[in-house]
Amino acid sequence: MWLLKYSKRLSLIQLLLLQLLGLNPAAAKKDKPDISSHKLDNPPSNFFYFDDSNTILLHDREAGLVHRSEDAGKTWDKVDVDAGKAWDLWRHPYDNQKAYIMGKASTHWHSNDQGKTWQDFEIPRARPSLVRTPLAFHAKDSDKVLIHGEVCRIGGILDCTQTTFYTNDGFKEIGMLRKDTRGCVFAHATPEFDSGDGEKADDRVVCVTTGRTSNDPREHRLAVSDNYFEDEYEPTLEGDRTVQGVVSIAVVKGYLVAAVRAPNTDELAMYVTDDASEWHRAVFPTDSRLKEDAYTILESTSYSIQVDVLTVDPPTPMGVLFTSNSNGTYFTKNIQHTNRNTHGIVDFEKVQGIQGIVMVNVVDNFEEVERSFGQEEKRLRSQISFDDGRTFQELTADGKALHLHSVTEMKNIGRVFSSPAPGVVMGVGNTGKYLKGYEEGDLYVSDDAGLTWTLALEEAHKYEFGDQGSILLAIYDEGPTDIVQYSLNHGKKWHKVDLPEGKIRAKALTTTTDSTSMKFFLWGSKGGGSKTEHWVFSIDFEDMHEDKCKGKDFEKWTARVDKDGKPTCVMGRKQFYDRRKADADCFIREKKFEEVEPNFDTCKCTEEDFECDYNFVRSKDGKECVRDGPLPDPKGACKNGAKKYKASSGYRKIPGNGCKGGLDLEEEKERDCEDTLKPIVSGEINTERTAFPARSFRNYFYLERAESSSDSSKAGKDETVVMRTDKSEVYISRDHGKTWDQILKGEEIKDVYPHPHFSDVCFFVTTGKRVHYTINRGDTYGHFDAKIEPTRDDGLPALAFHADYKDWLIWTGAQDCDKGKGKCHNDALYSTDRGGSWEYLARYVRKCEFIKEEGRGDKQKLVYCEAFKDEKPDGPLQLQSSDNWFADHKTPFNDIVDFATMSEFIIVATRDETDSLKVDASVDGQTFADALFPSNFNVPVQKAYTVLDSHTHAVFMHVTVGNRHDAEYGSIIKSNSNGTSYVLSLNNVNRNKPGYVDFEKMLGLEGVALVNIVSNIEEAEKGSGKKLRTMITHNDGAEWSLLKAPQKDPEGKSYDCSTGDCSLHLHGYTERRDPRATFSSPSAVGLMMAVGNVGEYLTEKSEKTSDTFITRDGGVEWQAVKKGNYMWEYGDQGSIIVIVRDTVSTDEIFYSLDEGQTWTPYKFSEKKVHVAILSTVPSDNSLNFLLWGQEDDSDSEIVTFNLDFSQIKERQEQCKLDENNPESPDSAYYLWEPKHPLSDSNCLFGHVAQYHRKLPDRDCYNGRSIQHLHNIAKNCECTRADFECDYNFEPAKDGSCKLVSGLEPPDRSKICKEDPEKMSYFKPTGYRRVPLSTCEGGNELEKYESKEVPCRGHEKDFEEAHRGLGGFWIFILAVVLPFGIASAVGYWVWQNWDGKFGRIRLGEQGSAFDAERPWIKYPVLAVAGVVAVVAAVPLVVGSLWRWVSGLFGGGRRYTTRGSFARGRGDYAVVDEDELLGEDEDEEV
């Protein structure tokens, strides 16, 4: 007590003394902020505050150090981790105590006390992922973290497996979650997400994974586990179907979103779940599509998702803003022509802390921009919404329109306009008609959440908010400055303060994330070049002002008001804040680190508080909810003749909406029982006949809309067909030939070019320079004029296409053709704006192509041209390449015959000095290596090659051995994984004069192929006719055998096999009129149909000698189904097969609903018709078929017949599929394992595969495409067949891998020099695993016989380590051959970055109705395939770009935008053979 009295007395004495001296106690307080500075050795690569603290961590990547400050940047200390090892820095987004430092290798660090102390942890044998953010967090338990890593077998960036690890105890223990991941998230990745499953789903993890047997991006899928992948399941996204082609996943507020790539288009489908269990497809308006690299998931709310969808492509991208309903499945349009940049970032920001206020920039001159193909500059206007985007209005300052620079031009870190400071908003911009340049802008401020604005400071400034808006801080941002300015009254008055280090160029200005602190952090640089200095400043306002704000200093501020100043409602509530008055002379000191909380008043319900109920959608005008198909059958309500029942009104209150009273749209309404009934079906096949005034069809193409397209109303249903007649007239049908319209009337269309990579796009080339096109399957048409007329050379296409960019074109045109004989030649031009403008690419060419393929890096502009040397048409052809539009070029080969691109390979045929051909191969498009043919393969003069297939990462090539007319044959050889070393697969394989080969892979099934061989080589070379026999392989060409003949013919009679040498022989590819008429379909696994005969040899194709056969088990057993020659097509993934007579007129077709066991006739015409073609959509998943032909009594008309099976009673119910129990009693499917008759087991590529097959007797339709491969039943033990020779090794005669003579084995000791801490390395064995093999155990040749060797200087450590636990394997390979490096990098890119994958299709533009078409007579490369996309990743604290660019030098990150942007990539599926060579010199 005495001490207390004494203290009070002393205080009074001190106060009295101050008064006697004439001093005011308040004078002890400073009148300006305290500023301290600290010099950095290097520019920071990252820094951040911990939430609710003044602690900052700063990362110096160049030095590999992390610095820490506890006083908002005033003083700094280095954190205690290994010097130079800090590669990346992360903070936990939901735990303000935790941070993480990632190292380059396997050692990393974590902190649980805001970086004061650090503990290391290791991820065994792995390093952080180079292709995605390394950490993923759990929002409710910060001890749970996912780590994305790479386990590399060779080292560097080569041959790595993307693997995810996890910890659930704060890194005390780390386990492997799953291999082959492409990104994983906890379901509870945000505080708002609620699975509804309680503790059961607390550990739920969702991953994008590779396919079951392939890294092909088309097969990427979702995998979910609740126990860290001890068990996993694949969720059903579309009804009861799983979906492949998953690009990426992200958790956005309370939603988990998956993006799925649509093949053959640049569109995406979006799937959404709010519980990580039940998924829905997001439905967008029919005039809007999600496109690759073209949508951004924006900052969303707890009750909706905001998505901006690209509508105008780069270089001047624009979009449309959409908002979803509460479960994220139905989207409505908010505002059009939003401004975007080429990285997918959108000028969109919500005003923080206030519901319903959104600021956007829109393009005012959108029409001119869209027409100009990037030539017109965008004129931007700023808009603001106060009602969640339903309506927008202009920003105003002093009555003038105000426009502000937004997210696409980030000049600082964090949010652009707002902070948690209630209603205080700032931005840089200008008044007037449009937004001007940044340096022409001034700083504006609003303290009513953007309703009105005032000029704060002239010229552009960086700015920040502090003390809940009491302090506004700004620094000049157009050049160096030595002052900062601050305002204490919402920007009305500003004060200047000098910086202590002179003039600096401000780089970043920030404060705590909640804007409650009175301290700010500034980073800037001064000087230039090698003398550049980097400084950080702490700006502290805490010693200013005596008073703390009291009750009188606060006002009740309304967060949203209408034009009349009245409070408005969002989600059923009005929002208010108690905030400091602008002119109050105080700080809110006691509220530090406490975000101000809003108050709410309840509103009466209005129409805006309701959304459409389940099974209802918005009407086209958006004014009401209408039912979407039949309503659910009410339990018992419609029995006993009842006609009415009570059911949903079609509306429901938005979940979380707080309105009460007022309008009640949820009240049930009376409905008709008829609404629950499904439409009545006819039960019959419907036929539609159409006649055309022409004598023949020239060509036809399907522009099939992908199932995963964003327009769910048309996905997989829009069956567009384009057809050209012999009169050069073009017709289009949008309903698979039921109705047709003539297009481009009056134009003579010479050729039709469907875009091989984008199925919505098609070009129509006239005989002149005019080219017409559609980019939306015939909805609209445009045109351009080329500079020169199309090429006159038979067999050469006028247009070539890019796999990624649908507007990038190469035009090959005829030049100087009117200047006399020998003057006519081809020039190539290119356009990047779909023909809007053209530039010359190369002159005197034969052809030019884009070489964009998997494993070829970022060489988007890489083009190959076959050009005549010295521009002399009679000179040799050179292969020229350029990646800068031929500003300069390289000439890899001076005398070539042709080149082919296939999957990851580029194959070039060149002449040598003996005029024999040789093969060179490349995987990167830059470096080539000689193809080494097998030692037992000897062809003295090689005249032609045909590239057949490379689906299994190996090239199948046919090398012509004999090329005598009508006696052509050769050998099939198969390469290793880089296309350079070949082994003999089969001799004497048949080919024809143009170079086509009787070789066909079975689609949808690994390792099965059929060929025809010439069995009488000697006689054939002497002029006798060929005698062909059919052979089959079930193990990818390792072994071949004759086809087993069926015992009975179609009439049940036994085949005459008295000769004893009796097998089944089939007419193959060389006799095919339409190259698209394949034996098999990838959607009908195990099924093949063919025409042939049983006997010793293949006989002539005729009605008397040929029968039609089917196999249901991949070619093991065959059944004869019809006498004579038939064409066939598969529909609904094989549940319907249609056949029709091939060589004779008919009026009926036969169809089978049970995989060809029984056949039913159907009369489709009253007249006999000569059917030329039977077709359906390329996916073979339609219930419609199309017959093309000519009626017997007409020679002036051609006809089509549409056959529609959608009404037959056996195909009215969709087949049920339970992925988790596929053979359950109510399932319509069974699991089928292919049998390999020449093997002791069913193993191929190291595994036994199980496929979904529909039970033939089930009356249902498949519908959406099934992932036929259900599972890998087991992985087999490894054998020699699962391995190939490693780099610098080659197969010896005994099959083992031996070091190539004259080469040194790869030096793996370099790992010791690159990482001095490494203790040991392994010597190479000479073997590496075949890429597709999944074998385990057994004869693992890549491990056996390898010796572990200690690194120099670590011998003792190595010896001690091997006394106990052994070390783990780390492989780093320094490849001696440059091509080895290229192929390894290519394979790594293929594994980890999406890329092309498939076969080459030649003659794709060819017509079944015109055998004289030049591209039928002469093989010409054309690609028909699908396009994939690089995974979309959230643009959160880190990004793929920053991570990779940092690894390879450079790259710095500062933004913290919470958007979700699309990336891209590509691949193509192509599937025919490419002839490389010539046959001018026949053998006599």
Side-chain angles (χ1 to χ4, degrees), residues 1149-1184:
I1149 56 102
F1150 292 86
Y1151 68 92
S1152 174
L1153 304 179
D1154 55 9
E1155 295 186 344
Q1157 296 180 36
T1158 60
W1159 295 88
T1160 303
Y1162 171 73
K1163 186 173 182 179
F1164 66 86
S1165 175
E1166 296 300 321
K1167 301 178 181 179
K1168 295 283 186 178
V1169 179
H1170 180 80
V1171 179
I1173 284 293
L1174 167 62
S1175 70
T1176 188
V1177 295
S1179 67
D1180 294 327
N1181 196 25
S1182 175
L1183 294 170
N1184 284 264

Side-chain angles (χ1 to χ4, degrees), residues 215-355:
N215 291 324
D216 188 338
R218 290 170 300 169
E219 299 181 17
H220 288 180
R221 58 193 183 90
L222 287 185
V224 181
S225 177
D226 291 334
N227 55 12
Y228 298 104
F229 283 86
E230 291 181 17
D231 304 297
E232 69 174 68
Y233 65 93
E234 187 173 359
T236 56
L237 304 189
E238 188 88 26
D240 61 359
R241 299 287 193 268
T242 59
V243 174
Q244 291 181 310
V246 179
V247 171
S248 60
I249 51 175
V251 182
V252 183
K253 295 288 187 178
Y255 307 93
L256 179 57
V257 179
V260 177
R261 203 201 88 261
N264 287 15
T265 181
D266 54 357
E267 292 186 44
L268 299 165
M270 182 186 295
Y271 294 87
V272 182
T273 178
D274 55 9
D275 60 7
S277 297
E278 185 175 354
W279 292 77
H280 304 274
R281 185 190 184 120
V283 178
F284 286 80
T286 55
D287 61 346
S288 304
R289 303 180 300 160
L290 288 181
K291 297 169 63 180
E292 295 182 293
D293 202 18
Y295 77 89
T296 305
I297 298 181
L298 303 163
E299 180 184 10
S300 301
T301 68
S302 59
Y303 50 87
S304 66
I305 303 173
Q306 260 86 31
V307 175
D308 189 86
V309 177
L310 182 79
T311 55
V312 177
D313 293 327
T316 52
M318 294 183 286
V320 177
L321 179 64
F322 294 90
T323 298
S324 76
N325 61 350
S326 64
N327 65 6
T329 58
Y330 182 82
F331 284 79
T332 54
K333 189 180 299 182
N334 293 125
I335 189 169
Q336 300 188 78
H337 318 306
T338 51
N339 184 51
R340 305 165 57 94
N341 65 18
T342 55
H343 300 293
I345 306 301
V346 183
D347 278 346
F348 170 98
E349 183 171 297
K350 291 181 176 292
V351 172
Q352 191 171 359
I354 304 175
Q355 284 184 321

Side-chain angles (χ1 to χ4, degrees), residues 990-999 1012 1026 1028 1067-1073 1098 1473:
N990 183 53
R991 55 152 282 194
N992 61 10
K993 175 68 177 176
Y996 290 107
V997 179
D998 277 343
F999 172 94
N1012 283 339
K1026 295 179 185 177
L1028 304 182
H1067 294 277
Y1069 191 90
T1070 58
E1071 300 180 68
R1072 194 168 292 165
R1073 292 201 309 271
L1098 181 66
D1473 35 1

Side-chain angles (χ1 to χ4, degrees), residues 20 83 131 381 435 538 557 628 715 846 858 999 1015 1066 1254 1367:
L20 290 172
V131 293
R381 299 178 64 88
L435 181 64
S538 172
W557 176 73
D628 183 24
R846 187 168 74 175
D858 295 327
F999 172 94
S1015 63
L1066 306 175
K1254 178 182 172 293

Side-chain angles (χ1 to χ4, degrees), residues 1296-1330:
S1296 63
C1297 293
K1298 302 296 184 183
L1299 187 65
V1300 175
S1301 177
L1303 295 180
E1304 295 292 332
D1307 182 9
R1308 288 181 177 160
S1309 68
K1310 288 187 177 181
I1311 186 176
C1312 303
K1313 298 177 182 178
E1314 295 176 2
D1315 188 348
E1317 294 187 3
K1318 294 299 179 186
M1319 185 171 59
S1320 63
Y1321 63 95
F1322 283 83
K1323 289 187 174 182
T1325 66
Y1327 297 89
R1328 59 175 283 173
R1329 193 177 296 250
V1330 172

